[in-house]
Amino acid sequence: AVLGRLEGAVREIEPLTTAVALWLFDPASATYRLVGARGVLRPPSVPLAAGEGVVGEAAEADRPVLGPEVVVRDPEENRPVWRFAWSLRAGEQLGVMSVDVAAPEAPDLPGLETVSAGHRAALQGSLALHIARDETRIVRSLLDVARELSRSLREGRLLEVALDHAMDLSLAETGSILLVHPDERLRIAVARGLPDAVVEDTVVSRGEGIAGWVFAVEEPLLVEDIPMRNDERGRRDVRSAVCVPLKDEDGVLGVLNVGSQAYPARLTQSHVDALEVIGRHTAVTLRNARAVTESQDLYFDTLRLLAEAMERKDPYARGGTQRTLELARGL
């Protein structure tokens, strides 16, 4: 609604306005992400690198900037599109508003500054509201996954819960959790959207690829615009990915991967932080589940040894406990 009002006000002084837009800076990828836009020729959703174009220049200069952005080619003439941009602040978050005007000559800079100044407060409020809504959704997702993980004591089930929540939160198409094995290599324990052959054959050494790098340095990683490749095993190409360690105070138990086939996937620092929290919760719960399993195994081993000791006193009772166990399992 705020962008719509800004578009209407700008059109009164610049009838050839093609779009107004709001951008948000993401520190994880050092890019400006398109939050919203209005107009007949809206900017593409591809992220803008820090310092790139008029948007990047306006953010770094912290003042209004006007300059040529692109050229629209039609059968009759080439029309340059001028972009006016001005930085915004929503708390500690940096944003930028932009106005695109398709005109042969530079538009009226003082007029754009005056009109935009009257909408800056509303735009900053809209940016803050967008951030708050996104963070609220992430917090709710984290509460849900923490609640479900606390109820899971089976390793396979808790890994599935963690991966499903991580993929839902990041809107990913593929995901996997790799666990560290005794040979200090990673193998896939649970996966979504990956071919069975990939799940069965994948073995990652420390420092190898994205997962191996995260395993080695114990830090999360956001990677975007991954080159497309052909994979004869049918692997689905991923263009954007986040990988975080499953790490607690006692060390790394594995890594969690989520991937998107879209670029940009809108994976931001907030997603990385949230997935890192899921990774920590998963590591703690996984270690607890393993401790419970080991305790149960120790308990039953102790009972078995006691039963065998009792049977040694009576040759006719020898093996009775094992036969009873097999009958019970059969029933």
Side-chain angles (χ1 to χ4, degrees):
V2 176
L3 287 175
R5 290 194 295 270
L6 174 61
E7 181 189 18
V10 170
R11 282 188 177 277
E12 291 182 3
I13 62 169
E14 293 292 345
L16 297 179
T17 298
T18 58
V20 295
L22 191 60
W23 307 80
L24 178 64
F25 182 69
D26 174 50
S29 57
T31 59
Y32 292 91
R33 305 298 183 97
L34 186 64
V35 172
R38 290 287 300 268
V40 297
L41 191 60
R42 302 176 187 181
S45 59
V46 176
L48 303 177
E52 178 182 349
V54 176
V55 168
E57 183 181 350
E60 291 187 353
D62 195 22
R63 59 175 175 79
V65 174
L66 175 66
E69 187 66 19
V70 296
V71 173
V72 178
R73 302 185 184 277
D74 59 36
E76 297 181 359
E77 61 177 343
N78 295 336
R79 295 178 297 157
V81 173
W82 299 84
R83 176 165 290 175
F84 167 80
W86 203 348
S87 62
L88 303 170
R89 284 284 179 180
E92 296 182 356
Q93 301 290 332
L94 174 62
V96 176
M97 58 149 290
S98 66
V99 176
D100 292 350
V101 181
E105 298 180 356
D108 177 20
L109 177 58
L112 290 174
E113 290 179 357
T114 301
V115 172
S116 300
H119 293 77
R120 274 175 61 83
L123 288 169
Q124 288 173 329
S126 297
L127 191 63
L129 182 59
H130 168 81
I131 295 169
R133 285 175 174 170
D134 199 41
E135 291 179 349
T136 299
R137 181 182 66 85
I138 290 174
V139 168
R140 286 176 177 170
S141 297
L142 292 178
L143 289 174
D144 289 342
V145 69
R147 188 182 302 112
E148 287 196 49
L149 286 176
S150 66
R151 299 171 181 169
S152 302
L153 289 177
R154 291 188 297 108
E155 180 171 321
R157 174 57 184 162
L158 72 89
L159 293 178
E160 290 177 350
V161 168
L163 181 58
D164 289 342
H165 277 279
M167 292 183 64
D168 288 343
L169 187 147
S170 56
L171 303 178
E173 288 95 9
T174 64
S176 62
I177 292 180
L178 294 83
L179 297 181
V180 182
H181 283 242
D183 61 0
E184 285 297 306
R185 295 199 291 179
L186 297 170
R187 290 176 173 82
I188 296 178
V190 60
R192 298 283 187 269
L194 296 177
D196 292 340
V198 173
V199 176
E200 295 172 0
D201 299 342
T202 297
V203 179
V204 180
S205 300
R206 187 183 296 270
E208 178 186 355
I210 295 173
W213 185 90
V214 171
F215 175 36
V217 303
E218 302 182 8
E219 295 291 340
L221 182 65
L222 167 64
V223 182
E224 288 203 305
D225 200 17
I226 301 172
M228 302 289 282
R229 65 181 181 278
N230 295 322
D231 193 323
E232 58 186 16
R233 295 183 298 176
R235 185 193 298 262
R236 297 176 66 181
D237 280 304
V238 169
R239 296 295 306 278
S240 306
V242 174
C243 183
V244 299
L246 303 184
K247 176 184 176 182
D248 62 6
E249 295 180 353
D250 296 321
V252 177
L253 298 176
V255 300
L256 184 154
N257 293 299
V258 295
S260 173
Q261 293 174 284
Y263 175 72
R266 295 187 180 276
L267 296 171
T268 66
Q269 183 64 51
S270 296
H271 295 105
V272 177
D273 294 341
L275 292 175
E276 193 173 8
V277 172
I278 291 178
R280 287 198 296 269
H281 276 301
T282 304
V284 172
T285 311
L286 179 58
R287 208 177 287 277
N288 289 341
R290 288 178 174 178
V292 169
T293 301
E294 290 173 1
S295 297
Q296 291 175 340
D297 291 344
L298 179 61
Y299 176 72
F300 284 110
D301 286 344
T302 302
L303 289 179
R304 180 177 55 80
L305 291 174
L306 288 172
E308 290 177 354
M310 293 173 64
E311 290 174 0
R312 289 194 186 99
K313 296 181 179 181
D314 185 355
Y316 294 99
R318 188 167 298 166
T321 301
Q322 182 62 33
R323 289 193 296 274
T324 302
L325 177 60
E326 291 174 355
L327 289 170
R329 283 175 170 166
L331 291 172

